[in-house]
Amino acid sequence: DGVEITRALHNLALSAEGAFISHATSRDPRFLPENVIDGDMRTFWISTGMFPQELMVALPSLSSLNAVRVYTTNVKSMSLECGESKTGDFSQLFSVELERQQPMLRQRQTGKVRRTTHARYLRLRILNGWKQFVA
């Protein structure tokens, strides 16, 4: 599934915009982490089974964020954090508990950023899933 970071309705979390995956705890060659930022809703990243799972997206540059949209499948709980450097402090943008859905149904979570938030890195933490594998 995917992550969409918007600034004035412009998605910054796309490889075509210069974003890249700087870290992922799971890597299945059929469902690569880079699928999250390819802009194609038919492709997705899938976990390899253990929790928590993490995926870090590096934005093209330090950016002001106003909304974040995350698409998931079979995720039970997750959080999204942001930071200005890969190894620095991260602050939580949102955390959510998701209800069980039909298998393979995509859920969209949109988090409005309450204050001006500057970020270069976004860390998606999948804390638990409804199934062993989540996307």
Side-chain angles (χ1 to χ4, degrees), residues 77-91:
S77 59
M78 67 177 196
S79 66
L80 188 70
E81 303 167 341
C82 69
E84 293 185 9
S85 71
K86 185 176 179 178
T87 58
D89 292 331
F90 279 73
S91 58

Side-chain angles (χ1 to χ4, degrees), residues 47-65:
S47 72
T48 54
M50 301 291 288
F51 296 102
Q53 293 286 327
E54 286 188 5
L55 182 74
M56 191 176 301
V57 176
L59 300 177
S61 62
L62 185 63
S63 303
S64 296
L65 309 178

Side-chain angles (χ1 to χ4, degrees), residues 1-3 13-16 18-21 33-40 57-58:
D1 290 314
V3 177
L14 292 173
S15 54
F20 62 93
I21 301 298
E34 290 76 14
N35 291 349
V36 170
I37 58 173
D38 69 2
D40 185 347
V57 176

Side-chain angles (χ1 to χ4, degrees), residues 12-53:
L12 301 172
L14 292 173
S15 54
E17 296 290 329
F20 62 93
I21 301 298
S22 66
H23 171 73
T25 54
S26 294
R27 188 167 200 86
D28 182 315
R30 297 169 298 161
F31 307 105
L32 296 172
E34 290 76 14
N35 291 349
V36 170
I37 58 173
D38 69 2
D40 185 347
M41 291 299 289
R42 296 170 297 180
T43 64
F44 53 92
W45 168 65
I46 195 165
S47 72
T48 54
M50 301 291 288
F51 296 102
Q53 293 286 327

Side-chain angles (χ1 to χ4, degrees), residues 74-76 96-102 107 109 130:
N74 293 327
V75 170
K76 186 175 183 180
V96 65
E97 298 283 327
L98 301 169
E99 300 211 7
R100 187 177 208 124
Q101 297 291 323
Q102 295 177 4
Q107 292 186 358
Q109 296 301 314
W130 288 107

Side-chain angles (χ1 to χ4, degrees), residues 5 12 29-30 35 68 72 88 93 104 107 112 114 133:
I5 310 303
L12 301 172
R30 297 169 298 161
N35 291 349
V68 178
T72 63
L93 291 173
M104 298 310 294
Q107 292 186 358
K112 293 279 187 188
R114 283 177 254 161
F133 301 99

